[in-house]
Amino acid sequence: MQTLTLTVNGAAVTLTLDERTLLVELLRDRLRLTGTHVGCDTSQCGACTVHLDGVAVKSCAVLAVQAEGAEILTIEGIGSAEHLHPMQAAFREHHGLQCGFCTPGMIMAGIDIASRHGPAPDEPTVRAELEGNLCRCTGYHNIVLAIQAGARAMGAPSPVSSPAATA
Amino acid sequence: MFPFTYHRPVELASAHALLVANEEAKLLAGGQTLIATLKQRLASPSDLVDLARVPGLTGIAREGGALVIGAMTRHAEVAASQQVAAAIPALADLAGRIGDPAVRNRGTLGGSIANNDPSADYPAACLGLDATIVTDRRELAAGDFFLGLFETALEPDEIILSVRFPIGGTATYAKFANPASRYAMAGAFLWRGEEGVRVAITGAGQNGVFRWSAAETALVADFSPAALVDIGLDGDEMIADIHGSGAYRAHLAGVMTRRAVARILERGSP
Ligand SMILES: Cc1cc2nc3c(=O)[nH]c(=O)nc-3n(C[C@H](O)[C@H](O)[C@H](O)COP(=O)(O)OP(=O)(O)OC[C@H]3O[C@@H](n4cnc5c(N)ncnc54)[C@H](O)[C@@H]3O)c2cc1C
Ligand code: FES
Ligand code: FES
């Protein structure tokens, strides 16, 4: 067992867990943040996408212990029912979802795309960037439109969110 | 997963000591391959030694005529680096086409080459650019490092620190990605410079990445796609699986190489 401390959606969390615990299991089973989904558990579908220190990762492919000291942002942390995040609002506006299973991952990936590519990513860019996020329902068309609209609404890219900026 | 003990050393020496003290220990880098392997119970290390907090393993620097990239440098960082784009644009391009953004945010150069997946991209760049793999005890030419399927020259307790990519010449990487996994079905890393031509093929060979010497000889004599038309790889020596037969991959590797030649002729790199 290991004890670890990390920040989840702005709140410090300390817990003791089995080393084998995945980050997604920590979020869903221990913290009951069930907005982050598990579609495949094999790093293919992106339903489990969260941000770790500002960048999108597949939380089914990260051990919880690897996130010691990290800042995790999940779909629960970006907005509320009353105040949707601009990317959430864009998904609603553009019908970027049907069953909604892939949506938390799509939105976290979308915010990551906007933070790296700025307010006007073109369609081929968004499609290429969605390589790791699968949707069984929508055919992607409206997801791409939603991410473009969400990126526009989010405005200029935030300089802190790109680890490569200093490289 | 089978149980393991997790370690987070903050010095290279303690990471190495953990490997020596625990024969069944394994290094953990980005985890994008290893964690899946653990989940499938294909590996049962007694200990995981996480390199994330070991200093000095990340970053990109120009040292003389080479670009030195730390083993723990993530694919996303290489892909977005102005320095890499300026010095060896084909390398930045290759890194930006590994998997998907979330994989690139975790996966590392060291993990990719230590794993030596026969369909991975970085091994082709190392071989094509004649890179040097720097470990905690020696320097290995890429040609001596990749030994076969998931096999390298690394000792069980050896740690990759960085890779040195020589700058110079022109290079490009042509990849036909598996539409589902994004791994290469066939990829050709082509380099042309004063010393000649190098062609490194990944995704196709049963023994992993390899230099296609017949193509290199033909291209030295005549650097054009036409020079390769009569040269073929042996389909019996290529990977055959549900995604494609050996003959298909042999053909595809030829097509990728010809595309790479055409691209260099058209507009330099990448
Ligand atoms: C969905 C998906 C798509 C992918 N697509 C591609 C693709 O298109 N092309 C491609 O090339 N790869 C692809 N990958 C693989 C990805 O690039 C991995 O990141 C990489 O193969 C392993 O790197 P890692 O840092 O995650 O290493 P880990 O998984 O942590 O480790 C891999 C192995 O390397 C060893 N190791 C790690 N670091 C060192 C070191 N410094 N010294 C010695 N040994 C070390 C570990 O012990 C382990 O055995 C994909 C992966 C996924 C999940
Ligand atoms: S559940 Fe993590 S990628 Fe599918
Ligand atoms: S909306 Fe159903 S999986 Fe995407």
Side-chain angles (χ1 to χ4, degrees), chain B residues 212-229:
Chain B
W212 187 8
S213 46
E216 293 177 355
T217 309
L219 289 171
V220 167
D222 171 17
F223 195 83
S224 75
L228 297 172
V229 168

Side-chain angles (χ1 to χ4, degrees), chain A residues 80-154:
Chain A
S80 64
E82 296 74 37
H83 299 283
L84 293 180
H85 184 281
M87 191 61 75
Q88 290 175 305
F91 268 72
R92 187 171 68 176
E93 178 78 10
H94 291 269
H95 304 283
L97 62 145
Q98 288 182 21
C99 79
F101 191 83
C102 70
T103 313
M106 288 289 178
I107 287 175
M108 298 313 286
I111 295 172
D112 185 66
I113 293 169
S115 67
R116 281 179 295 113
H117 292 278
D122 61 16
E123 186 193 329
T125 301
V126 175
R127 287 188 180 270
E129 289 280 337
L130 285 180
E131 202 63 79
N133 292 80
L134 303 182
C135 176
R136 294 293 305 271
C137 308
T138 65
Y140 301 99
H141 184 75
N142 286 352
I143 292 177
V144 174
L145 291 180
I147 289 177
Q148 289 182 298
R152 245 186 336 267
M154 281 170 64

